[in-house]
Amino acid sequence: MDVVMKSMSIAHGAYSAVLWRSIGGVVLMGPIFIARRRPWPGREALALHVARGAVAGSSVLLFFWGLVRVTMAQGVALTFLAPLIALFLAAAFLGERIRRAAIAGSFVASLGVLAIAAGQVQAHASTDVVLGSIAVFAASILYAGSLILLRRQAQVADPLEVALFTSLVLGGMLLVGSPWFSSMPAVHLWPGILGAAALGSFSAILLAFAYRHAEAQVLAPVEYTAFLWASILGWIAFGERVSPWTIGGALLIIAGCLVAIRGKAVPAPQTEAAA
């Protein structure tokens, strides 16, 4: 999906790509939601849908804006900070306990970020590349917040509802600015947009299912496998080469996160809906 969305963002702009992918997701999932005759979400669920849609939407927009300017591998490597940030947010909002290892892990991961930054300095990266890296870094912080909200959201709504309302809220947000930042995509771009919507919707359903059954600090590290796929697909689709600085930085960030989550996770208190 990231490859398709990067291509769409290059061709039509990140704002338009994210907007129309969200609309495509609503078109794909809306009829299924209606056909199942599920009740309209309650007040608590709606509040969580709006909150996560806003946070996740801002993260997605920043990520793809930045991904146009950096390689796939570097963009994904920087998002690996999200699981570590999620540990601290989980302590604040979900009541999950943070072990001392999280502090050591955050130090190791920060060295990874510095390694990636050092690689940009060594390569005399352009201002555009630096801004892209900052955007992806900011996106990882917001994405960590969305993971925490997803954990709560998945306790009060089924996966299809979570995925649908995430696209609905994000699409509604971006429609407000569409007269200034977007336009109708050309016909030849629609297969890619609908393909990204299908992939995004399916992955959102799987994520919601996973976060309904396990806590954030256990699931988030699974995302580390994305670096391998990002490196391979970035090379195939865009001819991108992965620098040793990016590889080293990614390994340090992964190591930091693994140090932070080592040991048995402490269960979070269940809500009445979860119980």
Side-chain angles (χ1 to χ4, degrees):
M1 184 194 68
D2 288 349
V3 170
V4 175
M5 284 297 292
K6 179 167 182 171
S7 299
M8 295 299 101
S9 297
I10 292 172
H12 201 57
Y15 194 99
S16 287
V18 175
L19 166 62
W20 294 106
R21 188 197 73 167
S22 300
I23 292 176
V26 174
V27 170
L28 290 173
M29 293 182 288
I32 301 175
F33 181 81
I34 294 172
R36 293 175 64 197
R37 298 183 179 180
R38 298 283 297 177
W40 187 255
R43 180 179 298 178
E44 180 186 1
L46 275 177
L48 285 171
H49 291 330
V50 172
R52 182 169 180 269
V55 174
S58 301
S59 173
V60 167
L61 188 57
L62 280 171
F63 177 73
F64 287 116
W65 187 90
L67 198 61
V68 171
R69 292 156 176 79
V70 300
T71 64
M72 291 275 298
Q74 183 175 318
V76 168
L78 288 172
T79 65
F80 287 160
L81 291 168
L84 188 59
I85 298 168
L87 288 177
F88 295 94
L89 293 179
F93 297 105
L94 299 183
E96 297 179 9
R97 298 176 186 173
I98 296 299
R99 295 169 294 277
R100 293 180 181 178
I103 299 174
S106 63
F107 175 75
V108 175
S110 66
L111 294 179
V113 176
L114 290 176
I116 293 174
Q120 292 187 342
V121 172
Q122 190 270 340
H124 304 289
S126 66
T127 302
D128 218 30
V129 172
V130 173
L131 289 175
S133 299
I134 293 173
V136 173
F137 179 74
S140 70
I141 297 174
L142 291 171
Y143 181 57
S146 76
L147 291 180
I148 301 305
L149 289 170
L150 176 58
R151 172 69 172 153
R152 295 177 58 193
Q153 194 180 23
Q155 304 303 314
V156 298
D158 67 33
L160 177 63
E161 181 181 315
V162 170
L164 171 61
F165 277 84
T166 299
S167 291
L168 195 61
V169 172
L170 175 52
M173 284 173 47
L174 296 181
L175 275 175
V176 175
S178 60
W180 298 277
F181 301 110
S182 181
S183 60
M184 181 66 70
V187 174
H188 71 276
L189 294 177
W190 275 103
I193 290 173
L194 291 175
L199 289 170
S201 300
F202 184 58
S203 65
I205 290 172
L206 292 178
L207 275 174
F209 179 85
Y211 277 84
R212 185 181 180 89
H213 293 85
E215 62 179 13
Q217 61 183 339
V218 173
L219 294 172
V222 175
E223 306 223 5
Y224 301 146
T225 59
F227 184 77
L228 175 62
W229 312 123
S231 301
I232 295 173
L233 294 174
W235 175 66
I236 293 173
F238 306 107
E240 298 172 348
R241 296 182 181 275
V242 184
S243 75
W245 291 98
T246 298
I247 294 175
L251 291 176
L252 282 170
I253 293 172
I254 292 171
C257 292
L258 291 177
V259 168
I261 60 141
R262 68 184 177 186
K264 185 177 180 181
V266 179
Q270 287 189 316
T271 63
E272 290 185 8

